[in-house]
Structures are given as C-alpha cells and as structure tokens.
C-alpha cells in the first residue's frame, strides 16, 4: 500500500486549480443509465479511485466507456446494459454504488445491489432510499446481503425524508424522473451536488424543480434525450486546500471553484484569523494567520458546515491558540482521525459526538494511518503543519478515492511531500535520505 511522506513546517504559496466534484460526478455518471439513445458526455470529471469504481460498475452492467480526447471527459454509451446487479466487491469499496438503484429502476424497473453495510464513519443504512422506492410502487426484498428492487411501473408519490440524505435524495430523483406522474420530495437534502445532477438531467429532457429549499418536485417524463454536462467544482477539495494554506500559514490562490458553495468554510476560516480575499465567483485567495484562533465547529447538512470538512478543520484547530469544541452531527463515528492526530502531538478529548481540541504550540512528525477519505486529508494537513520530523501517512488509498493528484498539487505549492509506492523497497526513506532527494524548499 502506498504511503505519503511529508516534511512539514513550510508555508504553502502559489495557485491551485480545483478539480470537478466527486460527489456530483458519481450520480451524474450513473444517471447515464437512463440515457440509452446516444453517447453521454460528462466534462470536468476528476481522476479518482471512486470514479474508476463507478466506471467499473457501469461496465459490469454492460455499458461502454469510450475513449475521449480529454482526461477529464467521460463518454458513456449505456445502450448495451443487460445486467442489473451491483456486486459486493464494488459496493464494499464505495457505498455510493447504491446510486445505481435509482436509474436502473427508472429505466429497467429492476436492480439488485449488495447492501453497503457499515463503514469507518458509521452504520450508514439505506433505509430512507428503500422506503421512498416503496412509495413509488417498488417491491423491495432483502436477501443474502443483497437488496432486490422491482416494479411493473413506477408511479409518482409524496416522499418525506426523516432527515435529509444526499444520495437518498439523488436516488429518488432519478427513480422518479421516468415515473408516471409527479413526485414531491420533502425534507430533501440541499447539497449543491444534487442541484448539479438536476441541471444535468433537466438539460437532457427531465422536469425537476427545487420549489423550496427542501422541496423538490419531479414530473415524470417519457424519455430523456442527451446527457451533456460539465460537473461543478469540488467544494470539499477547495475547502481542504484552504485549510492547507491556513495550517501552514501560507498564501494560496484557489481557482476553478464556486465561491458561493464555500460560505460556511470561508466564515469559519475567517473567524480563525485567516485572511480571505474573494477575487471572483470562481477564485479566492487565502492567507494564513500567524496566530490561529480557536473556533467551535458544528457539522450539519448543507448549507451548514459540512461533515466532509470536519477532520480538516480539526487538524487546523490542533495548533490554535485556545480551546474549541467540534461537534459531529451527521455521522456517529467520524472521529477516527483523533487518535492519529494525537500521535502527531495534538491534544484532543472525545465525548460522544464532541471533540474538545486544546491547541498546542506545535505538532511533530510521526507515522500515522488513514482511516477514511477525509481523515486522510486531515493527517496530510497535520503533517504539513508539523514543524519537526517527518510524517508518514499510510493507507492513502483512502485519499486516492477523493483527491486528484493531491501530492502533485501540494508540491506545486511548495510542500515537501512524496508518495512512496508500495512496490518500492524499504518503503520510508529516513529523514536524511528524504532531504537528499532534494524535494521542494526544505532540501
Ligand atoms: C453523502 C456524501 C458524503 C457526505 C454525506 C453527508 C456522496 C457520494 N457522499 O453521503 O461525502 O459525507 O453525504 O454530507 O455524495 N441515513 C440513514 N438512512 C439512509 C440514508 C442516510 O439513516 O437511508 C443517515 C446517515 O447514516 C447519516 C445521515 O443520514 O447519518 C446523512 O447521510 P447521507 O446524506 O445519506 O450521506 P450519503 O448520501 O451516504
């Protein structure tokens, strides 16, 4: 397994371009299942392990992923789909694979998908998705670890989510797109990635409207025309690079972002002392403060502070000037990074869904292990902030699921960071060897 080796303590300076959103790409890619008349074209798709997994899944269903002239462009032809099953091997590596349920139901009235089970950040059931499908007239059966769904036809219905679910909302929208009649989704999730998928579907002939912030109305249509969409920028990658600037006391310009989707992250980082200058609707500059102020953070569904930024903000708070409370309200077990941050010298205590972080003067490099996608990002950030010794982050396959060329983008900003391939002997170079390699500024 690859590892990331980081020599921290240097401010990151320069410009970074943010990739397309992972969480918008995934539902848009699977929505191509409903467009079987011609090739679907999706632009600004990031090069990530999760995208490879969803491509593998589509191919296993019988879709064809065609050669494209650009690395971030996907051309998919789904007319050959002849299999309706997402197997355990794929679902276990990426639970968003359950997103094929909606479009397969819409188009073929059937699907069989392995139940995702738990994952590092909590139980994460899909009961909301399944209960909503039932209201649309779908029979749901669970057997041998698989959920099987089928219907003669799907009929519009009123659905109210107990709490907003991002992939739940996306799955129901897709299922309802080709259904008979109108579906009203109440307490729908409000994440911008959902609206990006809606835009892609509407441009392809669907009739979907967000009539109130948490209400979505889907008028079923008989047929879709063509999927041709440019995916919106990844707000979590953007937020992660903003923290990279703040935690290293650097000065970074982010481009190819959507500033309006970063509101709560901008507010919290400003409160912590970082200076943020909005250049335009798609670019901002963030200068880290000399002294990082402690700020309390509480995660909640969009438009509140994203759970997907909690671990990264915690890395920043570990070297703040005081005490803060970080409250995780979305997932029950999303503090796996705490024990690893403590290995780097952080002072954190967890009580239920609260983490109390007492800022320390400095972090010092250590060997740490990534446990999930955003936890790995927080360890890389903490490694960049560690002013003494090397940090080695193992199990970075988690990071590769959701960050495109992260070490390359960080190196371009002056970070001293290197990927050690699993196949390379004696995996981790010692400190002197690392310096001799002449990486970045520290060498
Ligand atoms: C999506 C994002 C993930 C993000 C999360 C919350 C994708 C591919 N992933 O995940 O990055 O961290 O939103 O912003 O877009 N729940 C149930 N039953 C369900 C569905 C959800 O109890 O059927 C619970 C979950 O356990 C969780 C909460 O609802 O506590 C919200 O989860 P949800 O929004 O569904 O997360 P995902 O869509 O899986």
């Amino acid at each position: 397994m690859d590892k990331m080796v980081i020599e921290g303590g240097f401010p990151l300076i320069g410009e970074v371009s943010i990739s397309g959103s992972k969480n918008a790409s995934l539902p848009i890619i699977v929505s191509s299942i409903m467009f079987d008349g011609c090739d679907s074209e999706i632009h600004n798709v990031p090069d990530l392990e999760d995208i490879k997994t969803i491509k593998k899944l589509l191919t296993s269903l019988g879709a064809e992923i065609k050669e494209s002239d650009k690395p971030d462009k996907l051309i998919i032809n789904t007319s050959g789909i002849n299999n309706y099953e997402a197997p355990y091997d794929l679902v276990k590596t990426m639970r968003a694979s359950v997103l094929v349920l909606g479009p397969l139901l819409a188009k073929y009235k059937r699907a069989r998908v392995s139940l995702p089970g738990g994952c590092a950040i909590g139980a994460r059931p899909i009961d909301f998705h399944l209960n909503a499908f039932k209201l649309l007239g779908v029979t749901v059966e669970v057997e041998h670890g698989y959920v099987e769904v089928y219907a003669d036809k799907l009929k519009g219905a009123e659905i109210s989510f107990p709490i907003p679910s991002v992939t739940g909302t996306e799955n129901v929208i897709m299922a309802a797109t080709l259904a008979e009649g109108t579906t009203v989704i109440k307490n729908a999730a409000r994440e911008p990635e959902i609206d990006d998928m809606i835009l892609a579907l509407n441009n392809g002939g669907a009739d979907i409207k967000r009539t109130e912030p948490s209400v979505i109305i889907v008028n079923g249509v008989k047929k879709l025309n063509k999927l041709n969409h440019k995916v919106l920028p990844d707000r979590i990658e953007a937020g992660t690079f903003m923290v990279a600037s703040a935690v290293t006391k650097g000065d970074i310009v982010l481009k190819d972002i959507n500033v309006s989707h970063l509101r709560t992250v901008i507010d919290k980082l400003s409160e912590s002392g970082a200076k943020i200058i909005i250049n335009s609707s798609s670019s901002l500059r963030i200068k880290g403060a000399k002294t990082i102020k402690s700020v309390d953070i509480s995660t909640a569904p969009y438009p509140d502070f994203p759970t997907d930024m909690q671990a990264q903000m915690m890395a920043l708070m570990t070297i703040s000037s005081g005490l803060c409370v970080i409250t995780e309200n979305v997932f029950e077990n999303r503090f796996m990074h705490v024990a690893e941050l403590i290995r780097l010298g952080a002072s954190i205590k967890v009580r239920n869904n609260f983490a109390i972080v007492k800022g320390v003067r400095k972090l010092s490099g250590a060997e740490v292990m990534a446990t999930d996608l955003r936890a790995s990002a927080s360890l890389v950030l903490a490694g960049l902030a560690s002013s003494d010794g090397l940090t080695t982050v193992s199990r970075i396959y988690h990071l590769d699921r959701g960050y495109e060329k992260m070490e390359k983008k960080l190196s371009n900003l002056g970070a001293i960071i290197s990927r050690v391939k699993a196949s390379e002997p004696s995996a981790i170079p010692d400190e002197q060897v690392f310096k001799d390699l002449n990486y970045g500024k520290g060498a």
Side-chain angles (χ1 to χ4, degrees):
M1 276 180 278
D2 292 4
K3 302 181 181 198
M4 210 70 100
V5 186
I6 304 159
E7 186 185 345
F10 305 102
L12 299 193
I13 293 166
E15 199 173 80
V16 62
S17 170
I18 298 304
S19 303
S21 158
K22 166 180 92 70
N23 285 355
S25 297
L26 293 171
I28 293 169
I29 290 171
V30 296
S31 80
S32 66
I33 291 172
M34 299 188 288
F35 294 83
D36 62 339
C38 56
D39 287 352
S40 293
E41 285 185 23
I42 311 168
H43 307 261
N44 203 29
V45 178
D47 182 15
L48 303 171
E49 283 307 311
D50 273 10
I51 300 296
K52 288 185 188 138
T53 305
I54 207 79
K55 281 172 26 185
K56 230 186 260 175
L57 178 48
L58 278 184
T59 310
S60 78
L61 299 177
E64 185 191 356
I65 313 278
K66 296 187 172 175
E67 283 286 314
S68 96
D69 49 343
K70 286 195 198 140
D72 67 347
K73 177 173 156 192
L74 260 189
I75 306 175
I76 309 169
N77 191 298
T78 54
S79 47
I81 287 187
N82 55 6
N83 174 31
Y84 314 98
E85 177 170 321
Y88 177 63
D89 275 357
L90 292 175
V91 181
K92 78 167 189 238
T93 53
M94 188 186 68
R95 42 167 295 114
S97 307
V98 299
L99 279 168
V100 293
L101 281 167
L104 281 176
L105 266 174
K107 185 73 195 168
Y108 299 101
K109 314 284 178 287
R110 56 188 280 210
R112 187 170 186 265
V113 171
S114 169
L115 279 171
C119 70
I121 63 174
R124 299 183 80 179
I126 55 163
D127 51 330
F128 302 164
H129 308 224
L130 301 182
N131 291 337
F133 291 150
K134 284 182 195 163
L135 292 172
L136 295 174
V138 174
T139 303
V140 176
E141 284 168 4
V142 177
E143 216 176 38
H144 307 302
Y146 277 76
V147 56
E148 196 149 351
V149 289
Y150 55 91
D152 287 334
K153 66 174 175 190
L154 277 77
K155 277 190 83 169
E158 185 172 308
I159 287 151
S160 185
F161 282 113
I163 53 172
S165 161
V166 177
T167 48
T169 303
E170 290 161 349
N171 241 339
V172 174
I173 292 173
M174 288 190 277
T177 293
L178 297 171
E180 201 180 284
T182 297
T183 298
V184 180
I185 308 170
K186 294 187 174 164
N187 207 16
R190 295 166 61 177
E191 273 67 5
E193 293 75 21
I194 299 172
D195 293 87
D196 203 39
M197 183 197 79
I198 292 176
L199 182 66
L201 294 177
N202 280 345
N203 285 340
D207 182 356
I208 308 162
K209 281 183 213 80
R210 195 184 276 279
T211 52
E212 289 174 45
S214 300
V215 178
I216 294 172
I217 296 185
V218 186
N219 290 313
V221 295
K222 289 228 153 47
K223 192 176 174 333
L224 297 174
N225 316 315
K226 177 159 170 83
L227 176 63
N228 188 342
H229 185 74
K230 181 177 177 198
V231 174
L232 88 174
D234 197 307
R235 65 193 162 98
I236 306 301
E237 190 200 9
T240 304
F241 275 91
M242 290 174 76
V243 177
S245 184
V247 84
T248 63
K249 304 177 195 314
D251 187 353
I252 298 182
V253 172
L254 279 84
K255 29 176 229 176
D256 303 323
I257 58 172
N258 188 326
V259 171
S260 66
H261 296 155
L262 289 163
R263 208 27 75 200
T264 49
V265 174
I266 291 174
D267 288 349
K268 283 294 165 191
L269 285 169
S270 303
E271 247 183 84
S272 78
K275 189 163 182 224
I276 298 170
I277 302 150
I278 311 291
N279 296 327
S280 69
S281 59
S282 62
S283 168
L284 64 75
R285 176 177 176 188
I286 169 162
K287 287 167 83 171
K290 282 214 163 55
T291 305
I292 299 162
K293 290 186 217 147
S294 322
V295 288
D296 292 339
I297 291 151
S298 185
T299 68
Y302 192 85
D304 288 328
F305 193 87
T307 173
D308 284 353
M309 280 300 298
Q310 178 256 107
Q312 301 88 317
M313 281 301 281
M314 190 183 290
L316 178 67
M317 288 301 109
T318 61
I319 51 165
S320 67
S321 60
L323 199 74
C324 73
V325 180
I326 298 183
T327 311
E328 174 53 57
N329 293 309
V330 180
F331 292 111
E332 74 266 27
N333 190 25
R334 210 170 194 179
F335 284 139
M336 303 281 280
H337 42 284
V338 167
E340 304 300 307
L341 289 171
I342 290 172
R343 288 182 52 74
L344 295 167
S347 171
I348 309 169
K349 289 215 158 40
V350 174
R351 296 275 177 277
N352 305 317
N353 65 327
F354 301 100
I356 299 153
V357 186
K358 185 168 178 279
V360 293
R361 204 172 49 78
K362 68 169 180 118
L363 297 176
S364 52
E367 287 188 32
V368 290
M369 196 171 73
T371 49
D372 66 72
L373 168 54
R374 305 304 167 186
S376 17
S378 90
L379 297 178
V380 168
L381 294 170
L384 292 169
S386 299
S387 48
D388 136 44
L390 291 183
T391 297
T392 304
V393 185
S394 59
R395 301 200 175 175
I396 53 158
Y397 56 86
H398 289 293
L399 193 76
D400 295 334
R401 285 189 46 210
Y403 289 92
E404 185 175 52
K405 302 185 183 75
M406 194 189 212
E407 73 272 24
K408 188 155 186 280
K409 289 187 182 185
L410 287 170
S411 300
N412 288 344
L413 296 168
I416 306 176
I417 182 166
S418 161
R419 178 184 291 258
V420 178
K421 291 266 177 210
S423 53
E424 286 171 20
S426 78
I428 315 301
D430 66 24
E431 200 149 343
Q432 192 49 49
V433 175
F434 196 74
K435 280 186 177 139
D436 291 347
L437 285 171
N438 217 13
Y439 280 114
K441 291 182 180 167

